[in-house]
Amino acid sequence: MIPVNDAITLRAVDDVFVTPLYQLTQKNRDWLQQSLNWPQFVNDEEDTRKNVQGNVMLHQRGYAKMYLIFYHQALAGVLSFNLIEPLNKTAYIGYWLDEEAQGKGIVSQALQALMQHYVNRGELRRFVIKCRVENIRSNQLALRNGFALEGCLKQAEFLNGAYEDQNIYARIFE
């Protein structure tokens, strides 16, 4: 568990959270599908269980880290390092938040705490966010949190039947 502040906590993904995570995904399915490809493949709770179990294994091995965002003790979203390159001390960040919880700075605060946690442990130093050029809110999140735009990857993300351009942002802790 990583405490962020009095209202926000990050908890490592675990089997006990399968049902609430599945329910939150279903609640936000239409909204998530506008920005992410994977929600269309979550058809039942067992799909969520398999995803959680795979992420627990990757978490334990240090190749990815998946945390659930709790806001006032209620599950509100996910913040993860979708891929960790241990030699390069680099993590690729992914996140999503319940539509009703957005606009309160929850992801920004959680992101700052998560990055600082791993920097303090000496495990990571470079953090990367890749997001579609059209995803204005994710681009703004990266900039608000000290990430620098490094470039644009042409047709790098497949979403809803089309290849979309992605901006790539990075933040390096010295």
Side-chain angles (χ1 to χ4, degrees):
M1 187 170 83
I2 300 172
V4 176
N5 59 35
D6 289 343
I8 305 167
T9 305
L10 296 174
R11 295 185 185 155
V13 70
D14 188 88
D15 278 347
V16 299
F17 301 120
V18 168
T19 299
L21 182 58
Y22 172 72
Q23 292 169 344
L24 190 65
T25 302
Q26 292 309 300
K27 174 185 172 198
N28 288 275
R29 183 185 190 99
D30 291 340
W31 172 80
L32 288 169
Q33 192 61 47
Q34 294 173 28
S35 297
L36 302 165
N37 199 50
W38 59 262
Q40 66 185 311
F41 302 111
V42 180
N43 297 310
D44 54 39
E45 200 168 302
E46 188 58 27
D47 292 333
T48 300
R49 182 176 318 287
K50 289 175 185 173
N51 179 270
V52 164
Q53 289 170 344
N55 275 286
V56 167
M57 182 186 68
L58 292 170
H59 191 108
Q60 292 169 344
R61 293 182 180 172
Y63 293 112
K65 301 288 181 184
M66 182 177 179
Y67 288 91
L68 303 179
I69 302 169
F70 284 82
Y71 181 62
H72 294 293
Q73 283 121 28
L75 179 59
V78 174
L79 176 60
S80 60
F81 296 147
N82 294 331
L83 171 66
I84 294 175
E85 297 174 353
L87 181 62
N88 296 325
K89 294 189 174 191
T90 298
Y92 294 82
I93 297 167
Y95 47 84
W96 65 269
L97 194 65
D98 180 5
E99 196 171 11
E100 292 176 12
Q102 293 177 17
K104 299 175 180 155
I106 295 169
V107 173
S108 287
Q109 293 172 69
L111 177 59
Q112 291 294 331
L114 185 62
M115 289 188 302
Q116 201 58 59
H117 177 80
Y118 282 93
V119 167
N120 291 346
R121 291 170 55 148
E123 294 179 32
L124 297 169
R125 61 180 293 276
R126 178 177 160 81
F127 299 90
V128 178
I129 293 175
K130 295 192 299 186
C131 56
R132 285 181 312 109
V133 171
E134 300 299 320
N135 188 339
I136 302 302
R137 293 182 83 176
S138 279
N139 284 275
Q140 290 172 341
L141 177 94
L143 294 171
R144 269 195 319 271
N145 284 279
F147 286 74
L149 179 63
E150 292 190 334
C152 181
L153 306 172
K154 298 297 181 187
Q155 298 184 15
E157 183 174 350
F158 187 74
L159 179 65
N160 298 323
Y163 289 94
E164 305 277 342
D165 294 350
Q166 271 184 343
N167 283 331
I168 184 165
Y169 294 90
R171 180 165 177 197
I172 300 171
F173 290 77
E174 301 292 337

